[in-house]
Amino acid sequence: MAKVYAITNQKGGVGKTTTSVNLAASLAATKRRILLVDLDPQGNATMGCGIDKSSLEYSVYDVLVASKPVTECIVEATDFGFSILPSNQDLTAAEVELINEIGREFRLREALAVVADQYDYILIDCPPSLNMLTVNALAASTGVVIPMQCEYYALEGLSALINTINRVKQLINPTLEIMGILRTMYDGRNSLTNQVTDELRRHFGDKVYSTVIPRNVRLAEAPSHGLPILFYDKQSKGALAYLALAGEILRRSAATDISANTQAEHIHG
């Protein structure tokens, strides 16, 4: 059964899409079966995987609004070793069209349940706002990965996001957990970066990933070529950082599974 992670932050420009695409490619490089869901109407994750968003036959919009089977909408990014449920501008209308629908928060969860056993990880690239699309992502997920820059305003935004996550957990998805906070566009020479890191560690402890994603020109260039960084410049600092993040996520995931199995044995023992 797939682990489903929403990659979210209501602040724009923090590296959500970069993380979604490159984490998908890095996990796929470890021979995991990966589905990347582009839930942002801008369709940047779709384009970043070399798929033309303007010529899609079906997209995630058709899954959410027209109840199209997800299997008919998934596109294979065969060169990169993973699958993608693509997105484009049509998705902008989904929020309005779902407004009076019963169970609208669960549309994505119900759709993904059909294919959950075909993947090891499903990663959801969320839009930069706390709207119905993001709520759908959180309702469908087992965990949340929060990319953020180490700057003062980012800390303020983080508390609003965590309130939303807690509310979704309380009302519609009791299994939802924060998997980790990822520091992006990281520059360790900057004193504010270090202050924000200290603050994060004080509040979130080991929820802060030890891997950081550095500022990296090659990482910024890769999307314009429709390539994950591993396929654009695999020796770059950006590529090595996302491979390290994939490794850290897999190790944490394995440790959580062992702990859950031990607890289950203890209860049934």
Side-chain angles (χ1 to χ4, degrees), residues 170-198:
Q170 192 184 346
L171 298 175
I172 58 179
N173 183 3
T175 62
L176 190 64
E177 297 292 341
I178 293 172
M179 303 314 296
I181 294 171
L182 175 67
R183 291 162 291 160
T184 58
M185 303 174 211
Y186 188 84
D187 180 358
R189 298 165 303 179
N190 182 325
S191 62
L192 180 60
T193 296
N194 295 316
Q195 285 168 23
V196 172
T197 290
D198 291 344

Side-chain angles (χ1 to χ4, degrees), residues 9-13 16 40 42 126-130 134:
N9 190 329
Q10 77 276 25
K11 205 169 180 307
K16 282 188 298 293
D40 187 342
Q42 294 176 78
C126 296
S129 56
L130 298 175
T134 304

Side-chain angles (χ1 to χ4, degrees), residues 1-2 4 35-37 60 63 70 74 85 106-119 122-124 136-137 140-141:
M1 198 62 133
V4 185
L35 173 63
L36 172 60
V37 178
V60 69
V63 172
V70 72
I74 287 171
L85 180 55
F106 301 111
R107 286 294 177 93
L108 186 62
R109 178 156 93 185
E110 287 160 5
L112 293 178
V114 178
V115 294
D117 58 350
Q118 296 170 31
Y119 298 99
I122 297 175
L123 306 177
I124 307 173
N136 257 270
S141 297

